[in-house]
Amino acid sequence: MSAEATNPEARPDARPELRRRGRTRLDLRRLGRAALLGPTSRDRLPDAIGHVAEAHRAHHPDADLSILRRAYVLAESSHRGQMRKSGEPYITHPLAVTLILAELGAETTTLTASLLHDTVEDTEVTLDQVREEFGDEVCFIVDGVTKVEKIDYGAAAEPETFRKMLVATGNDVRVMSIKLADRLHNMRTLGVMRPDKQARIAKVTRDVLIPLAERLGVQALKTELEDLVFAILHPEEYEHTRALIAAHAGERDPLPAIAESVRVVLREAGIHAEVLVRPRHFVSVHRISRKRGELRGSDFGRLLILVGENADCYGVLGELHTCFTPVVSEFKDFIAVPKFNLYQSLHTAFATSGGHVAEVIVRTRQMHRVAEAGVVALGNPYATAAAVTATAGAAAGSAEACADPYEERVDPTRPGWLSRLLDWQQSAPDPDTFWSVLRAELAQDREITVFRADGGTLGLPGGASCIDAAYAQHGEAAHGCIGARVNGRLTSLSSRLSDGDTVQLLLAHDASSGPSADWLEHAHTPAARIAISSWLKAHPDGAAATTTAARAPLSVVGARGGGGNAVADLPDATVRLAGCCTPVPPDAVAGFVVRGGAVTVHRVQCAAVAQMRSLGRTSVAVHWRATADCRVTLLAESFGRPHLLADLTEAIAREGVEVVSATVEPPVEQRVRHSYTLQLPDATGLPALMRAMRDVPGVYDVSRA
């Protein structure tokens, strides 16, 4: 493997945003050797973690560094004599992992656990010693990170290893933060391994850890991992991309001049902003070259504009779209609608007079910190409950305080997708199913939020259907789901949901109801697929019973015999109300002359109106008489139950409405459809009548025919 792939921080084209201004990237191998060979004073931090302390203080000026010194001393003495396969002292690895996290702004507890993350696994240090020396919180994280056995990157070992990582992550997201930094340093030094083992590790990193980094919002780790995996798995394309970047380095880059013109525009507008040129990393350049073909100078980077407040982001956007020509298709607002991984920014692009198109990211400095570090930037999610945890741990005794590292904890930073994974991983029947479904779930790069009828929300992956929403909200009770209303309209369970939809799920009261086999074709979430498959396996004869014939066409009795209150502007013409849409005052209506000279009146929204006009029929003006009585046909959808017809007709009678005719269809999948042709004394009472019918127990929809 190339030197760039094993040590990307040594490349001149490495991402500058991963470095803090004024501090160069460290040579951790040399640093580790110096730490072991040089003297260490008792009254100050060891030289080996001086740079870690410097990076930590840059984010947390008031941090207590004494615990880092004690953690380093324990880690160095425990790992003394151990060497990595690359030949460096083993202590260089926890140091490198800790420095990565310190650069991202991790808090002191995370850095302490990072220094110790391999001690329990690889040395004689026990969890009891870690707890006694550093407390329950550090013990909890170290135990979560500690691998039960050396990872064998074979097909059988990986699923179980990552299942444990997933459970540990769900209990404390800081566990996965350390795991990601651990994998990044291992990937940086992967060149000492055999090519086949490099490929196996790179594939697992690509399939699981990079998507996890994306979902946890740790973009700084994700982008570097992507480049390292790209170099190993696609060496020819990597070399081609590197050649493109090298060729661009020798050309005149238009982005600095564009950035300066943006600075002038914002300065004149009185907006205080920092405008930076942000080079694309290798994988990003490769993707954009495949999308656009031949690359232009402005395609090798983007402009990053950092401001102080959210309102300034939109001020910058207004100035850019006013002073330059915006590319409307490139605009995305992730501030108003943040991504599922905490990411917030405005994305736009504009064309310059020189023919270049510059892509722009606008965000506040706090948004930038979260965009780079994700959950790492959120600090300790349990800080407010630290005292309670410590008290509980002391009461339980030292032998039990860390006995269960996967004990459920309420984590305010836990994303919805992680909660879903934790729910279904317990139901995965075998490691192969877990592995395949995990990869499919992580491949989802978009999450939507839908609103429940009770006012709550559901987080679902993009492309999810009503079936997925049913299992996300009701669990196994969703086996009895028979329909859904999306944004107030009845729809099939296979309908895909969009971001912001309101979904009301309709469940049968019959406990024997269950899903049909075709539900699997429309279920996208692991929870739904596993639950449906389990039910079908347990009820091999039940699947056929739930699949029924299509509903027979509804026979609606309409008021075809008269025109009610409708009057046509055609002398001596007979007026009839159409049975297909049963218009009533004050509906907007249109009339058409049919065979025999009669005028049929339709609501203007009726499909028959469009059909008549397409046939060249001329419409006749129609208006309503002043009298208020009218005739209308209503459809009622309900669950089947005894006395339902009696309750509905009683509700209609209480509203003073006459039933002209009624039709009840046979039950289908526990649902019953009724149609009523009614004579109302006053058309204004129609909304109240429909509400009264909906209030009858078991009725979930009432609509006009």
Side-chain angles (χ1 to χ4, degrees):
M1 188 175 63
S2 65
E4 290 81 1
T6 57
N7 191 15
E9 68 271 21
R11 298 198 309 264
D13 52 8
R15 295 178 58 212
E17 63 269 23
L18 296 184
R19 308 187 187 111
R20 291 194 63 82
R21 188 171 298 179
R23 186 167 65 250
T24 59
R25 176 72 67 179
L26 303 176
D27 185 344
L28 291 163
R29 300 180 183 183
R30 180 178 55 81
L31 183 62
R33 293 192 185 96
L36 292 179
L37 299 176
T40 299
S41 173
R42 287 181 172 272
D43 58 355
R44 66 183 180 89
L45 287 170
D47 292 338
I49 59 168
H51 293 286
V52 172
E54 179 188 353
H56 187 39
R57 277 282 171 85
H59 293 278
H60 305 276
D62 300 326
D64 179 11
L65 301 180
S66 62
I67 190 173
L68 291 181
R69 188 190 79 83
R70 291 189 286 113
Y72 172 77
V73 170
L74 177 59
E76 190 278 327
S77 61
S78 302
H79 290 297
R80 187 173 297 162
Q82 296 178 351
M83 308 296 287
R84 304 195 76 217
K85 290 185 178 180
S86 55
E88 288 79 27
Y90 195 88
I91 190 61
T92 59
H93 173 65
L95 274 173
V97 173
T98 306
L99 181 59
I100 290 170
L101 293 169
E103 290 275 358
L104 292 175
E107 38 82 45
T108 309
T109 302
T110 304
L111 299 186
T112 304
S114 175
L115 283 169
L116 301 170
H117 78 272
D118 276 337
T119 54
V120 175
E121 175 191 356
D122 295 335
T123 74
E124 299 299 322
V125 175
T126 65
L127 281 175
D128 286 338
Q129 290 176 281
V130 173
R131 184 188 317 109
E132 182 179 353
E133 183 72 19
F134 301 100
D136 291 339
E137 199 72 17
V138 173
C139 170
F140 186 93
I141 299 174
V142 170
D143 196 22
V145 177
T146 297
K147 296 176 284 290
V148 176
E149 57 186 358
K150 291 288 187 180
I151 292 180
D152 174 13
Y153 290 94
E158 278 300 335
E160 189 57 31
T161 298
F162 281 98
R163 185 196 288 263
K164 293 172 183 174
M165 289 170 55
L166 182 65
V167 175
T169 300
N171 289 317
D172 196 324
V173 292
R174 293 173 292 180
V175 171
M176 184 53 72
S177 301
I178 296 175
K179 277 289 188 181
L180 289 172
D182 176 86
R183 178 56 64 95
L184 176 57
H185 183 247
N186 285 335
M187 290 293 295
R188 286 175 176 176
T189 57
L190 205 58
V192 299
M193 294 186 177
R194 300 189 312 272
D196 59 328
K197 194 164 187 178
Q198 291 183 33
R200 286 200 303 272
I201 297 174
K203 286 177 181 177
V204 173
T205 303
R206 176 196 63 192
D207 294 341
V208 177
L209 284 178
I210 288 177
L212 280 173
E214 166 75 14
R215 287 170 172 262
L216 291 173
V218 194
Q219 295 295 321
L221 302 188
K222 177 231 176 189
T223 52
E224 189 173 347
L225 284 172
E226 281 185 329
D227 284 350
L228 293 167
V229 168
F230 184 42
I232 295 171
L233 298 182
H234 306 282
E236 294 182 0
E237 295 178 357
Y238 173 82
E239 289 299 330
H240 174 69
T241 304
R242 189 174 67 154
L244 286 177
I245 295 175
H248 168 70
E251 300 174 355
R252 182 177 177 274
D253 189 350
L255 285 178
I258 298 174
E260 183 57 35
S261 63
V262 171
R263 292 188 190 100
V264 172
V265 167
L266 299 181
R267 190 162 50 243
E268 292 176 351
I271 300 176
H272 298 285
E274 185 178 1
V275 183
L276 306 171
V277 176
R278 180 169 183 158
R280 294 183 184 273
H281 63 107
F282 276 49
V283 172
S284 180
V285 171
H286 173 67
R287 288 171 181 161
I288 202 111
S289 66
R290 295 186 63 181
K291 177 181 177 182
R292 300 178 182 173
E294 184 177 354
L295 297 181
R296 297 167 295 180
S298 57
D299 291 333
F300 288 88
R302 292 183 288 188
L303 299 185
L304 174 63
I305 302 178
L306 301 178
V307 295
E309 303 291 339
N310 287 19
D312 294 335
C313 295
Y314 294 98
V316 169
L317 182 69
E319 292 298 325
L320 293 180
H321 285 192
T322 300
C323 300
F324 302 96
T325 304
V327 181
V328 179
S329 61
E330 296 293 329
F331 173 67
K332 297 181 181 67
D333 188 346
F334 294 118
I335 295 178
V337 185
K339 296 178 72 174
F340 58 83
N341 59 359
L342 311 176
Y343 180 87
Q344 287 184 287
S345 293
L346 295 178
H347 288 206
T348 189
F350 61 81
T352 68
S353 57
H356 297 287
V357 175
E359 296 185 27
V360 185
I361 301 173
V362 186
R363 59 174 70 135
T364 66
R365 289 174 177 83
Q366 174 60 20
M367 290 176 190
H368 180 61
R369 181 167 175 250
V370 175
E372 290 295 297
V375 295
V376 178
L378 299 179
N380 182 359
Y382 313 106
T384 57
V388 176
T389 303
T391 303
S398 61
E400 299 177 0
C402 279
D404 184 5
Y406 306 135
E407 178 186 358
E408 183 68 17
R409 306 172 84 190
V410 178
D411 186 346
T413 69
R414 178 189 291 181
W417 62 266
L418 182 54
S419 295
R420 292 198 304 272
L421 288 180
L422 290 169
D423 289 340
W424 67 257
Q425 67 85 25
Q426 298 178 357
S427 304
D430 55 75
D432 290 338
T433 300
F434 165 79
W435 188 243
S436 60
V437 179
L438 172 63
R439 292 173 61 180
E441 168 73 8
L442 293 178
Q444 299 283 348
D445 59 355
R446 189 172 67 89
E447 184 167 276
I448 62 173
T449 299
V450 298
F451 297 93
R452 296 172 6 191
D454 60 6
T457 60
L458 294 173
L460 299 169
S465 66
C466 294
I467 294 174
D468 299 307
Y471 283 95
Q473 180 174 350
H474 297 293
E476 292 189 358
H479 293 330
C481 193
I482 59 174
R485 295 173 61 92
V486 177
N487 301 326
R489 299 178 66 89
L490 281 172
T491 186
S492 65
L493 288 174
S494 62
S495 298
R496 287 195 173 190
L497 298 169
S498 300
D499 203 24
D501 282 347
T502 298
V503 59
Q504 178 185 2
L505 301 161
L506 309 174
L507 302 182
H509 297 286
D510 185 358
S512 64
S513 298
S516 60
D518 60 358
W519 282 23
L520 288 172
E521 300 177 9
H522 308 291
H524 296 276
T525 59
R529 295 188 62 83
I530 290 175
I532 295 168
S533 299
S534 299
W535 191 93
L536 293 175
K537 185 179 295 185
H539 302 79
D541 300 327
T546 60
T547 305
T548 58
R551 184 193 300 270
L554 177 65
S555 175
V556 179
V557 179
R560 293 186 174 85
N565 299 325
V567 178
D569 293 346
L570 193 64
D572 301 325
T574 301
V575 178
R576 296 175 180 172
L577 300 180
C580 56
C581 57
T582 58
V584 298
D587 291 343
V589 291
F592 294 90
V593 179
V594 296
R595 184 177 302 174
V599 175
T600 302
V601 180
H602 298 263
R603 282 191 284 169
V604 294
Q605 301 92 340
C606 181
V609 172
Q611 184 178 6
M612 290 283 193
R613 288 173 176 167
S614 67
L615 294 174
R617 298 284 184 89
T618 303
S619 62
V620 177
V622 180
H623 64 274
W624 297 104
R625 288 195 185 100
T627 54
D629 64 306
C630 65
R631 185 171 290 191
V632 65
T633 298
L634 297 180
L635 304 180
E637 297 271 359
S638 64
F639 300 115
R641 67 172 179 84
H643 311 298
L644 177 62
L645 180 60
D647 292 344
L648 268 171
T649 53
E650 182 181 353
I652 294 171
R654 282 200 303 267
E655 297 296 318
V657 176
E658 177 188 353
V659 179
V660 178
S661 64
T663 302
V664 181
E665 297 182 8
V668 176
E669 294 183 350
Q670 304 293 322
R671 291 182 291 180
V672 181
R673 178 182 288 183
H674 307 242
S675 65
Y676 298 90
T677 300
L678 308 170
Q679 186 72 32
L680 278 71
D682 189 340
T684 59
L686 181 58
L689 170 64
M690 296 176 70
R691 284 195 298 271
M693 294 174 68
R694 288 193 188 101
D695 289 339
V696 173
V699 177
Y700 57 82
D701 185 58
V702 176
S703 61
R704 296 274 297 277

